[in-house]
Amino acid sequence: MNRGLYALALGTFSLGIAEFGMMGVLGDVAKGVDVSISEAGHLISAYSLGVAIGAPMLILLRRMPLKKLMLLLSAVIFAGNLAASVSPGFVTLLCSRFVSGLPHGAFFGAGAIVCSRLAAKGHGAQAVAVMVGGMTLANLFGVPLATCLSNLFNWRVTFGIVAAFGLLSFGLIRLWLPYLDPLPDRGMKGQFGFLKSSAPWLVYGGVFFGQASVYCWFSYIEPVMTQVAGFSSAAMTWVMVIAGAGMVAGNAIAGKLADRYKVSVVTGSIAAMLVVVMPAVYLCAGMKLPSLVLMFVATGALFGIGGPLQYLIVRFAKGGEMLGGAGIQIAFNVSNALSASLGGLAIHHGLGLASPALIGVPFAAIGAVMLFMLHRRYSDA
């Protein structure tokens, strides 16, 4: 395996902590900058807004050699999170979070192209899985560690850790990533030409609905596990480690399967599996061991769908590969925001804390249908 892939994985590791670590220190941040919890929630939204805006901006950098582009994105990861770690107040922290989100989608989009060039023939999906694996490892180790250290010392430690890993990623990309020519420039209009085909829309739909099927429920994993399954608040660290382990396993297994079989079939089958898994999650929510096992499976499916499709989109985005790859992250983040809102509505209307798992069932079904449609229409998917 080309060691340049591990440099990219370190970058996604830092992005994973930046995105998900905020949730573990939100209360401490709110106290630290003297705002309410609801106001502090804007810090999560600011990051997502940065992702949504930064991803399509990638087309402005399309003429840049790929190694130089990845170095630039790593530098922004470092700078944005360093600024967050020393922000004197809420407004500056909000702006820093927005800047921190800008390279997120672009890093995955450009990184998927780099992976496809570095990978040995027939191992493209596994190469992307290595890069995406950095984010799964962030959920397994990075986020719990950052949360623990922040609780021991200060909430600023979380952002300092992200900045440190961003800087380390910059150094390793500089050392390990070979020079890679920029993509052929087909002009601004040519960047969007791939969207005339139904293939990328089916891929984006697979990501959007497949992720939403799990995130409707996973967004409320803490109250579900503590108030329904009966775990203590102290046990949530280990519960989240198990969830992270599911992400690692799902990403790795799906990556290998996607190189052996059709990506659309692998991801479509995972989405179809969720049509059964999510009702089981709801029915077993009050039982500790089954709830842990099903959580492991569900979070594995989350990255089992997203990782291979991050690789596949490059094939169906000719002329706009970077925009296509970044679009996956836009679909992912919009899906997360919408699914969390829908899950919250179910709880608000008195359907129970575990009810969002049932909301996810039709999303899983739609995602599976779209991915199997992709397989039927495009033989190379």
Side-chain angles (χ1 to χ4, degrees):
M1 192 70 71
N2 190 297
R3 61 183 182 176
L5 298 175
Y6 298 112
L8 298 182
L10 197 59
T12 64
F13 181 84
S14 63
L15 291 171
I17 301 176
E19 182 172 20
F20 296 105
M22 188 71 211
M23 301 169 189
V25 297
L26 194 63
D28 291 335
V29 172
K31 292 178 183 177
V33 294
D34 194 27
V35 297
S36 67
I37 285 289
S38 59
E39 288 176 300
H42 294 311
L43 296 169
I44 297 175
S45 301
Y47 188 91
S48 295
L49 181 62
V51 175
I53 292 177
M57 285 176 60
L58 193 58
I59 61 174
L60 301 177
L61 305 173
R62 63 189 184 278
R63 298 176 183 173
M64 187 177 290
L66 290 171
K67 179 176 180 176
K68 187 175 181 180
L69 176 58
M70 300 311 296
L71 286 171
L72 173 62
L73 295 173
S74 296
V76 178
I77 294 172
F78 165 72
N81 286 282
L82 180 64
S85 71
V86 297
S87 292
F90 178 69
V91 174
T92 51
L93 181 56
L94 192 70
C95 294
S96 298
R97 285 289 290 171
F98 173 76
V99 172
S100 300
L102 289 174
H104 186 113
F107 194 97
F108 278 93
I113 299 168
V114 173
C115 289
S116 66
R117 291 195 177 184
L118 295 180
K121 186 176 181 180
H123 294 279
Q126 289 185 61
V128 173
V130 170
M131 179 185 73
V132 175
M135 177 165 278
T136 65
L137 288 173
N139 282 281
L140 179 59
F141 299 116
V143 172
L145 177 62
T147 302
C148 178
L149 291 176
S150 294
N151 289 336
L152 288 174
F153 300 104
N154 189 284
W155 59 267
R156 299 179 186 274
V157 172
T158 293
F159 303 111
I161 290 173
V162 178
F165 278 110
L167 184 60
L168 182 57
S169 175
F170 178 93
L172 293 182
I173 288 172
R174 186 180 178 89
L175 289 173
W176 290 351
L177 206 65
Y179 175 83
L180 297 168
D181 290 326
L183 294 169
D185 184 15
R186 302 187 182 184
M188 186 65 73
K189 186 177 180 180
Q191 298 294 310
F192 297 90
F194 73 96
L195 293 173
K196 295 177 182 178
S197 165
S198 65
W201 295 108
L202 290 172
V203 172
Y204 291 146
V207 170
F208 183 91
F209 290 105
Q211 304 287 327
S213 66
V214 177
Y215 262 101
C216 281
W217 158 80
F218 192 63
S219 298
Y220 303 94
I221 189 65
E222 192 275 337
V224 170
M225 286 298 183
T226 55
Q227 299 180 42
V228 182
F231 289 98
S232 66
S233 296
M236 279 306 298
T237 297
W238 299 108
V239 171
M240 295 310 293
V241 167
I242 293 172
M247 296 176 188
V248 172
N251 177 63
I253 293 170
K256 290 184 178 181
L257 290 175
D259 276 331
R260 182 174 298 182
Y261 307 104
K262 299 292 185 182
V263 175
S264 54
V265 173
V266 172
T267 54
S269 298
I270 294 173
M273 177 188 72
L274 287 171
V275 175
V276 177
V277 170
M278 297 317 294
V281 166
Y282 173 77
L283 293 172
C284 298
M287 297 179 278
K288 287 186 176 180
L289 182 57
S291 66
L292 286 177
V293 172
L294 289 166
M295 179 187 67
F296 180 91
V297 174
T299 56
L302 192 66
F303 277 83
I305 293 173
L309 292 179
Q310 183 80 65
Y311 161 71
L312 183 63
I313 192 62
V314 175
R315 190 182 305 168
F316 291 107
K318 298 302 181 186
E321 289 89 347
M322 285 196 288
L323 180 61
I328 292 286
Q329 294 303 311
I330 296 176
F332 181 84
N333 278 272
V334 173
S335 172
N336 293 354
L338 177 62
S339 58
S341 298
L342 291 175
L345 282 175
I347 294 172
H348 178 72
H349 284 87
L351 299 178
L353 286 171
S355 63
L358 295 180
I359 304 298
V361 175
F363 286 128
I366 294 171
V369 168
M370 296 186 77
L371 291 168
F372 286 129
M373 283 176 62
L374 177 68
H375 172 66
R376 183 173 182 178
R377 293 184 183 182
Y378 300 91
S379 59
D380 58 339

